[in-house]
């Protein structure tokens, strides 16, 4: 009987481990991954690393990217340089710039569930309301003063805060959020995101600037706007 107890515990642990391993689908690593015969799995890494390669001569895309031959991997596959350089905040109407270091720029991030961004703001520059469909964002302000916030899914409650140098704020995965420089100087922030490819949906651009455009009646009714106003907004994006 005494020998049976550790055996049962072992069986129970194995059963639990198996159920945990099989109970969840791997998280998506891009917007979609329509199944083919060669479908592969993303999710939790199954080896120390899986440096991404761009399979330009293959029509097959997996959830995430293929792994580079580990014997060919070098330190540079885990390296990125340039986040000391301020972004160009004059290149757009909103006065902000985001430099996202995701798996496309840093192949060593493949399957690791993390990425990094530098955000620059001109005075009164705005990172407009947007969501990251695959990543939570953890932001730290390095310079300046940012008004930030996110809105919950249902009800639409706003959580907002003014951040100064050294302050940290978290934007939960998928929720609409923004950052606005309310100071008279430039602002700089860095953000970690919990995906190798968190994705970005800027609300105004997606709704009024999609290609092809969303039906005018749909937008007029959804936003309770005159169709002329919808057409005006569509021209802005
Ligand atoms: Mn964001």
């Amino acid at each position: 009987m005494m020998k049976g107890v550790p055996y049962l515990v072992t069986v129970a642990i194995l059963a639990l481990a198996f159920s945990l391993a099989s109970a969840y689908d791997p998280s998506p690593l891009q917007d979609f991954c329509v199944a083919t015969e060669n479908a592969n799995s993303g999710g939790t890494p199954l080896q120390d690393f899986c440096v991404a390669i761009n399979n330009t001569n293959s029509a097959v895309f997996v959830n995430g990217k293929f792994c580079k031959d580990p014997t060919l991997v070098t330190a540079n596959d885990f390296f990125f340089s340039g986040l000391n350089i301020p972004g160009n905040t004059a290149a757009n109407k909103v006065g902000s710039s985001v430099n996202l270091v995701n798996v496309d720029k840093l192949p060593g991030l493949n399957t690791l569930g993390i990425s990094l961004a530098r955000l620059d703001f001109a005075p009164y520059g705005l990172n407009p309301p947007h969501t990251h469909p695959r990543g939570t964002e953890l932001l730290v302000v390095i310079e300046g003063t940012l008004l930030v916030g996110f809105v919950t899914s249902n009800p639409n409650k706003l959580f907002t805060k003014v951040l100064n140098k050294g302050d940290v704020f978290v934007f939960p995965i998928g929720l609409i959020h923004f950052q606005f420089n309310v100071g008279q100087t430039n602002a700089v922030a860095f953000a970690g995101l919990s995906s190798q490819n968190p994705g970005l949906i800027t609300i105004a651009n997606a709704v009024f600037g999609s290609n092809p455009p969303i039906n005018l009646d749909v937008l007029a009714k959804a936003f309770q706007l005159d169709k002329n106003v919808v057409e005006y907004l569509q021209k802005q994006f």
Side-chain angles (χ1 to χ4, degrees):
M1 286 297 284
M2 293 300 286
K3 278 179 75 179
V5 171
Y7 172 76
L8 283 175
V9 169
T10 305
V11 168
I13 289 171
L14 284 174
L16 179 65
F18 180 76
S19 69
L20 286 175
S22 60
Y24 303 101
D25 289 333
S27 299
L29 299 174
Q30 61 250 325
D31 281 352
F32 53 76
C33 176
V34 175
T36 72
E37 292 162 55
N38 286 322
N40 205 342
S41 157
T44 307
L46 301 174
Q47 59 273 314
D48 283 350
F49 56 79
C50 171
V51 171
I53 56 168
N54 287 314
N55 52 316
T56 50
N57 52 8
S58 169
V60 178
F61 293 84
V62 297
N63 189 22
K65 293 177 182 286
F66 287 113
C67 302
K68 190 173 179 178
D69 180 347
T71 64
L72 302 177
V73 168
T74 70
N76 279 337
D77 288 316
F78 304 99
F79 174 77
F80 178 89
S81 184
L83 281 195
N84 59 315
I85 300 165
N88 180 11
T89 58
N92 54 61
K93 293 181 192 171
V94 290
S96 74
S97 169
V98 179
N99 188 0
L100 173 66
V101 183
N102 64 7
V103 68
D104 294 329
K105 293 181 183 170
L106 182 43
L109 290 177
N110 198 29
T111 75
L112 297 184
I114 195 167
S115 55
L116 180 69
R118 173 181 173 136
L119 298 84
D120 286 275
F121 302 84
Y124 307 110
L126 170 69
N127 189 10
H130 64 278
T131 86
H132 307 290
R134 291 173 295 276
T136 289
E137 174 177 340
L138 186 59
L139 180 108
V140 57
V141 176
I142 303 301
E143 285 296 341
T145 305
L146 294 178
L147 170 68
V148 306
F150 67 83
V151 178
T152 59
S153 59
N154 189 22
N156 296 136
K157 182 174 180 179
L158 172 68
F159 291 85
T160 186
K161 191 93 178 159
V162 173
L163 306 181
N164 294 296
K165 189 173 179 174
D167 291 347
V168 174
F169 202 79
V170 63
F171 306 92
I173 183 170
L175 300 187
I176 294 176
H177 60 280
F178 61 85
Q179 294 111 8
F180 182 46
N181 181 3
V182 290
Q184 296 174 21
T185 60
N186 289 341
V188 182
F190 286 84
L193 294 118
S194 64
S195 169
Q196 69 181 41
N197 182 24
L200 171 66
I201 302 169
T202 303
I203 306 305
N205 302 54
V207 170
F208 295 106
S210 70
N211 183 23
I214 297 174
N215 179 289
L216 211 58
D217 294 311
V218 171
L219 294 179
K221 188 157 266 185
F223 288 86
Q224 297 291 293
L225 293 171
D226 189 276
K227 283 187 197 176
N228 293 327
V229 179
V230 173
E231 281 181 322
Y232 170 82
L233 287 170
Q234 286 177 324
K235 281 182 189 135
Q236 309 307 308
F237 300 94

